[in-house]
Amino acid sequence: MSTFGNAFGDWFFMISLLLIGIAFLVGAGLRLAGVGGALLMLFMYVVALPQPSAMVDGEFVRGATNPIPDVHWMDALLLLICAFTVSGDTLGLGKWWARLPFVRANPWLR
């Protein structure tokens, strides 16, 4: 039984995307959300990695597209940039979040 392609994997994936989206909308917990989002983008990139040969519309096709300029890399980079440049302090709750005692004790929650 695989981890994904079943109800547990689907729910886990969608809830993690929801939590990452909420963190970015609120502007708090961006480091954890950015790293988690970049990790999810890496997983989605690996799953969609073009194969050297494939069946397309019932026809065997040789060759693959260039895997480097993929949108998953750009999205992961944007998530990490937003996470590590304290962008939540500008229009979000980032400043308030950073003053909380448990966040000061654990800076990775910033």
Side-chain angles (χ1 to χ4, degrees):
M1 183 169 117
S2 67
T3 304
F4 296 98
N6 59 34
F8 170 75
D10 292 342
W11 276 94
F12 177 74
F13 179 72
M14 295 308 289
I15 288 173
S16 61
L17 284 178
L18 174 70
L19 293 175
I20 290 167
I22 289 172
F24 272 94
L25 283 173
V26 172
L30 291 182
R31 285 187 186 167
L32 184 61
V35 171
L39 189 63
L40 280 176
M41 286 295 140
L42 174 69
F43 292 155
M44 286 190 276
Y45 169 75
V46 169
V47 168
L49 195 62
Q51 301 296 321
S53 57
M55 290 293 286
V56 178
D57 294 330
E59 186 178 328
F60 187 72
V61 177
R62 290 189 182 265
T65 60
N66 189 355
I68 302 302
D70 190 80
V71 70
H72 296 100
W73 287 109
M74 293 177 248
D75 289 344
L77 182 63
L78 286 173
L79 286 169
L80 291 173
I81 288 171
C82 290
F84 288 103
T85 58
V86 291
S87 61
D89 290 358
T90 306
L91 293 175
L93 301 174
K95 290 180 184 178
W96 170 79
W97 180 257
R99 288 192 302 260
L100 295 175
F102 66 90
V103 176
R104 274 195 224 149
N106 302 304
W108 58 273
L109 290 173
R110 178 108 163 77

